[in-house]
Amino acid sequence: MAAGEGRGAGGLECREHLFKVLVIGELGVGKTSIIKRYVHQLFSQHYRATIGVDFALKVINWDSKTLVRLQLWDIAGQERFGNMTRVYYKEAVGALVVFDVTRGSTFEAVSKWKHDLDSKVLLPNGSPIPAVLLANKCDQKKDGSQNSSQMDQFCREGGFIGWFETSAKDNINIDEAARFLVENILANYKSFPNEENDVSKLKLDPDLLKADSKSQCC
């Protein structure tokens, strides 16, 4: 995570933030599709499975004085069983945890992903990073889906800050879910220690990109 300051139009102070956000969940739940829709406004039925980790950058003019750069890490569904997630999760300040409403097994795996996340990355103050649960593919037939009150209770008990029904295909609630997460990240930001606010920390290593992002999932 990082921030910088500059001068905007009219001499106003402008704050810039760089936030690392993880997108995690089981294989095939639509993580890559969600990122492509959010960042590029694109959707395809034919993305290849992500191998390892892929990256995307979303720049948000949050308000007249704040620029937010979201560095989205698209982590492969099978990676929870590997040893690399601790490296991938490092310095993340927020997460989107995704399941597929048409496959109940992917919802059952959500708690395992959240536990893995909480065991490997924390905010500088020792709290879990904010995580939003995405019930993806809501445009399709649901497989024994939970109702809203059950989902609210699940999020409270599981430590999620909230949940959204999403569809990358129909562009439902993708922007809203991301904005909700960023609002929570910004609220936490003011309590981060100053030594963490180093804009160089999150600059991507080109060698890491080449090694881990060979699948460009287009």
Side-chain angles (χ1 to χ4, degrees), residues 2-189:
E5 293 186 3
R7 294 285 172 183
L12 291 174
E13 182 182 275
C14 179
R15 291 194 64 82
E16 295 187 11
H17 300 285
L18 176 60
F19 294 137
K20 177 178 175 178
V21 170
L22 309 174
V23 184
I24 57 178
E26 292 293 278
L27 188 67
V29 295
K31 299 184 296 295
T32 302
S33 295
I34 286 170
I35 291 172
K36 296 292 186 187
R37 170 62 79 180
Y38 180 53
V39 176
H40 304 296
Q41 292 301 311
L42 298 173
F43 178 79
S44 169
Q45 300 276 13
H46 306 293
Y47 292 126
R48 298 195 305 272
T50 302
I51 306 300
V53 63
D54 208 347
F55 309 92
L57 185 69
K58 174 76 169 182
V59 179
I60 308 166
N61 292 304
W62 189 256
D63 57 33
S64 61
K65 297 185 293 183
T66 312
L67 184 75
V68 173
R69 290 183 173 89
L70 284 189
Q71 190 185 93
L72 297 155
W73 286 51
D74 180 2
I75 296 173
Q78 66 271 25
E79 285 295 325
R80 180 166 53 84
F81 305 104
N83 295 320
M84 286 298 292
T85 50
R86 191 176 298 277
V87 177
Y88 295 156
Y89 291 178
K90 186 179 180 182
E91 296 179 345
V93 294
L96 299 171
V97 183
V98 188
F99 73 96
D100 177 350
V101 298
T102 70
R103 291 189 289 142
S105 62
T106 65
F107 177 70
E108 293 164 11
V110 160
S111 295
K112 295 176 183 176
W113 277 99
K114 183 65 165 65
H115 179 267
D116 188 57
L117 183 70
D118 292 345
S119 70
K120 292 176 179 173
V121 63
L122 295 170
L123 293 176
N125 64 7
S127 302
I129 67 172
V132 176
L133 182 61
L134 302 187
N136 196 39
K137 306 187 184 181
C138 69
D139 55 287
Q140 300 183 31
K141 185 177 182 295
K142 299 178 184 180
D143 177 16
S145 61
Q146 311 289 315
N147 63 37
S148 291
S149 61
Q150 288 174 318
M151 287 293 290
D152 290 341
Q153 182 178 355
F154 177 82
C155 287
R156 283 194 300 272
E157 293 174 354
F160 291 93
I161 60 172
W163 69 282
F164 290 81
E165 285 191 320
T166 59
S167 168
K169 181 180 179 181
D170 291 347
N171 197 18
I172 297 171
N173 280 341
I174 305 292
D175 287 356
E176 289 82 355
R179 186 169 185 86
F180 178 69
L181 179 60
V182 173
E183 284 173 350
N184 279 269
I185 292 171
L186 285 167
N188 286 328
Y189 180 81

